[in-house]
Every structure is written in structure tokens, then in C-alpha cells.
């Protein structure tokens, strides 16, 4: 298949083979040889989409090879796009074709291979439409494992409300896994992944209410609070009553209504105020009050299958408003309307945000 003129021009530009962009020249606006920029990531994502397209040609593969070999920044950007793409685990959908796709792309990334080998490498991708890409789950492996162990679990973008035996209520946020263990002497929840919001009920048997996390245990003192597992620590926000924290090392602290804290296995750090966002998600909204754009996009990313990349020059823009978690595309459109930013979708699962 011979690509049309506009496609050839686009591919040639991406390969850096234009009079204004000679091969081997530093190709980011800052002139940093080997430095990876947002533009490099966008180019790599578009190349990924090109190689995954059913209309991929030998010319496409040769142009991709030339682009990849042009600079260390291109190679690093390609590795980054691949690293994100590998997190779309096709095994979560039970589809062997997805496995072939991943194998094909992993093989295709090797630089300086023959055109025929590149074409064969991406053969497993041919015929995969956008529905297959959108079906892949952007779910870290630990979350998948946690869900298998849990009594209750939610997927990406899903929320769930539980009514417990004692009348307490628990809301599970996106990608959350929870075990419930009510015994004669105590009420235990074990948060394996994600985030929960809890409203405890008075127990007629006087049993304490605990939430166990990898960093330690919290005890509710007649309260409404949220617990979120972050990458290296746990966040606690208290909206009513009070909660006591005991870390794995034995350090203890109390968090009263309106306050929050971060803790890991060894120490805890009090925070000035509880964040309304840590409860508002239970109603499907994310409120932003002078919030950095990068932080809001990181939150929105938790509710969608895919990856959102934000340019550093817009990441600190202040955001105000209320954004829906059940329709993240609408939330992104609202942001693009309110701020001087552009939303790019080089792939169904990859979004880049930069300055307009």
C-alpha cells in the first residue's frame, strides 16, 4: 500500500528529514542533545499508533527506524511509550490476541533491524481496532493481585457503596480492593489497594472499628473519614469525629475532624486540613480550588483507562471548578475551555496536554 502525500509528509517530518530539521541535529526547542521533551513523547506515541495501524507500510517502518536512530532522545521517548503501553494488560480481558500485540510491539522496538523484520514484528498488531486498545486495562499488577485477594473490588472508573452488617457504610473508589473481617471482639477492614470513604455506625456490642493498611492501622472514634493508599505512604482525611493512627513501628497520633495526615510504616506527618476531594469522589466529582493542573490531571487519570501526560510549562496552572469523574473526556474538555491548553489524543489511550 502506498501512503498518501499527507501521510508521507507527516512521517517525513517525524523522522526529522526536513530542511529545517537535518538528521542528527538537536531536535527539541531547547537545543538539548538527548533531552526528552513532551514533543518527543508525542512523536513516539504517534509512531506507536502508526506501527499498530492496519495500513502500515514498509516506508512507514523505514521512516520509524530513521526517526528512532536519529537521537538518544527519540530512543528514550520510544522506551517510555512502550513502558506505558505494556501496562495495558490484555490478560485482564482474557484475549490471546492482545498478548500477540504486546509481543509484536516489544519486538518492533529493536533499532536497526531490517524492514522485513520490522513488518513481521508488528504483524500481530494488524487488524486490532480501537475497541481492542480501549479494552486494555491500565492497571498496575499489584492492584490486580490485590483484587484477587479481596472481598470487594472496583475496576478503573468504578465506584461502589457497601452497607456493612453493623450499619456502617463504605464507599470504594476507582481501582480499590478491600477485605471485611468482622469478629466477636473487633470490626476490621483491610485496605489492599485504592481508596475508601467510611461512615461508621455505633456498634451495640462495643467493638472497635479498625482499618489496616500496609503502613499501619487506624481506629475510628465515631467518625467519617477516608483512607487512601499512595505509592509509598497512606493518607488519612477526617471529616467528622476523630481517628487514631498507629504505624507499623508503633508511632501513634490522633487526627481530629477537618484535619489529615500522611503516614508510612515508621512515621506520620500531620497535614493542615482535610481535602474535600477525598470525600467528593463518592459523589462522582472532583472539586478544584486553586489546584495545580498537573495534580488534577493525575487525579482524573485514576478514573480512565490510559495515560495523561502534561507539559511542565502548564502543569502549575491554577484550576478552579468541579469536574466529573464518570466522564473524564468531558472533564478534559472543560479544562481546555477554561485554560490556555490543548488536548492531544495521539492514541485512544494516550493523552498529552500542553500550552495552546
Amino acid at each position: 500500500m502506498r501512503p498518501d502525500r499527507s501521510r508521507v509528509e507527516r512521517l517525513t517530518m517525524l523522522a526529522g528529514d526536513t530542511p529545517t530539521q537535518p538528521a542528527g541535529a538537536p531536535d527539541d526547542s531547547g537545543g538539548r542533545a538527548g533531552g526528552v521533551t513532551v514533543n518527543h513523547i508525542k512523536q513516539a506515541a504517534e509512531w506507536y499508533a502508526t506501527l499498530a495501524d492496519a495500513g502500515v507500510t514498509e516506508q512507514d517502518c523505514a521512516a520509524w527506524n530513521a526517526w528512532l536512530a536519529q537521537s538518544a532522545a527519540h530512543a528514550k521517548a520510544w522506551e517510555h511509550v512502550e513502558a506505558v503501553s505494556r501496562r495495558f494488560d490484555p490478560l485482564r480481558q482474557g484475549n490471546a490476541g492482545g498478548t500477540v500485540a504486546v509481543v509484536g510491539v516489544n519486538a518492533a522496538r529493536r533499532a536497526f533491524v531490517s524492514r522485513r523484520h520490522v513488518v513481521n514484528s508488528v504483524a500481530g498488531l494488524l487488524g486490532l481496532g480501537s475497541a481492542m486498545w480501549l479494552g486494555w486495562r491500565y492497571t498496575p499488577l499489584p492492584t490486580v493481585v490485590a483484587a484477587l485477594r479481596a472481598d470487594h473490588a472496583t475496576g478503573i472508573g468504578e465506584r461502589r457503596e457497601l452497607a456493612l452488617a453493623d450499619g456502617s457504610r463504605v464507599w470504594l473508589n476507582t481501582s480499590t480492593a478491600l477485605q471485611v473481617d468482622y469478629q466477636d471482639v473487633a470490626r476490621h477492614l483491610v485496605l489492599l489497594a485504592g481508596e475508601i470513604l467510611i461512615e461508621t455506625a455505633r456498634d451495640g456490642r462495643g467493638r472497635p472499628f479498625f482499618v489496616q493498611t500496609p503502613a499501619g492501622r487506624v481506629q475510628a472514634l465515631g467518625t467519617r473519614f477516608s483512607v487512601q493508599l499512595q505509592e509509598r505512604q497512606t493518607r488519612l482525611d477526617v471529616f467528622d469525629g476523630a481517628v487514631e493512627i498507629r504505624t507499623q513501628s508503633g508511632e501513634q497520633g490522633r487526627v481530629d475532624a477537618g484535619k489529615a495526615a500522611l503516614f508510612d510504616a515508621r512515621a506520620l506527618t500531620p497535614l493542615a486540613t482535610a481535602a474535600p476531594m477525598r470525600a467528593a469522589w463518592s459523589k462522582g466529582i472532583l472539586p478544584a480550588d486553586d489546584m495545580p493542573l498537573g495534580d488534577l490531571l493525575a487525579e482524573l487519570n485514576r478514573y480512565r483507562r490510559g495515560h495523561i501526560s502534561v507539559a511542565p510549562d502548564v502543569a502549575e496552572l491554577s484550576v478552579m471548578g468541579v469536574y466529573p469523574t464518570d466522564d473524564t473526556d468531558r472533564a478534559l474538555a472543560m479544562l481546555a475551555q477554561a485554560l490556555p491548553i490543548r488536548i492531544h489524543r495521539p492514541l485512544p489511550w494516550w493523552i498529552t496536554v500542553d500550552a495552546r
Side-chain angles (χ1 to χ4, degrees), residues 162-184:
L162 302 177
L164 302 182
D166 63 337
S168 297
R169 294 197 297 168
V170 180
W171 289 262
L172 281 67
N173 201 358
T174 177
S175 300
T176 294
L178 180 71
Q179 288 180 342
V180 178
D181 184 18
Y182 272 32
Q183 301 175 355
D184 291 340

Side-chain angles (χ1 to χ4, degrees), residues 30-273:
R32 293 175 290 115
V36 178
T37 67
V38 173
N39 191 48
H40 293 137
I41 298 297
K42 288 163 59 177
Q43 291 179 17
E46 190 164 353
W47 275 120
Y48 194 102
T50 298
L51 294 179
D53 190 89
V56 64
T57 67
E58 288 196 10
Q59 292 95 326
D60 294 341
C61 294
W64 166 72
N65 243 338
W67 174 85
L68 191 66
Q70 185 185 13
S71 72
H74 288 176
K76 290 178 181 178
W78 179 257
E79 289 177 2
H80 180 68
V81 168
E82 278 198 298
V84 172
S85 71
R86 280 195 295 270
R87 295 176 68 183
F88 288 80
D89 183 5
L91 297 179
R92 295 281 287 154
Q93 298 298 317
N95 189 301
T99 304
V100 174
V102 173
V103 171
V105 172
N106 283 345
R109 70 186 171 93
R110 297 184 180 91
F112 312 113
V113 293
S114 68
R115 291 181 183 182
R116 179 175 298 277
H117 184 73
V118 173
V119 172
N120 290 339
S121 297
V122 299
L125 292 168
L126 304 183
L128 285 181
S130 60
M132 175 63 73
W133 288 101
L134 291 172
W136 288 5
R137 302 293 294 273
Y138 186 65
T139 307
L141 183 58
T143 303
V144 175
V145 175
L148 296 175
R149 297 168 49 203
D151 298 317
H152 306 279
T154 55
I156 294 174
E158 182 184 3
R159 300 188 316 277
R160 184 176 302 172
E161 180 181 351
L162 302 177
L164 302 182
D166 63 337
S168 297
R169 294 197 297 168
V170 180
W171 289 262
L172 281 67
N173 201 358
T174 177
S175 300
T176 294
L178 180 71
Q179 288 180 342
V180 178
D181 184 18
Y182 272 32
Q183 301 175 355
D184 291 340
V185 295
R187 298 170 290 172
H188 285 278
L189 302 183
V190 181
L191 183 58
L192 302 170
E195 181 176 18
I196 54 176
L197 175 69
I198 303 169
E199 287 185 359
T200 59
R202 186 179 297 276
D203 185 52
R205 299 161 63 181
R207 295 173 297 175
F209 190 105
F210 298 110
V211 179
Q212 185 70 46
T213 77
R217 188 179 73 177
V218 302
Q219 179 178 357
L221 305 177
T223 185
R224 181 170 178 263
F225 65 103
S226 69
V227 183
Q228 180 192 27
L229 298 189
Q230 299 182 349
E231 187 173 355
R232 293 183 175 86
Q233 57 192 352
T234 298
R235 178 175 178 128
L236 170 71
D237 290 78
V238 181
F239 306 103
D240 292 302
V243 176
E244 290 184 347
I245 301 173
R246 183 182 180 89
T247 69
Q248 294 284 24
S249 66
E251 183 171 348
Q252 300 183 55
R254 175 182 169 121
V255 182
D256 293 313
K259 303 294 184 180
L262 293 170
F263 63 97
D264 58 22
R266 292 177 289 185
L268 61 90
T269 304
L271 301 177
T273 58

Side-chain angles (χ1 to χ4, degrees), residues 274-293:
M277 180 180 293
R278 301 273 63 87
W281 60 258
S282 65
K283 299 178 181 178
I285 57 175
L286 291 179
D289 184 6
D290 195 25
M291 185 177 189
L293 175 62

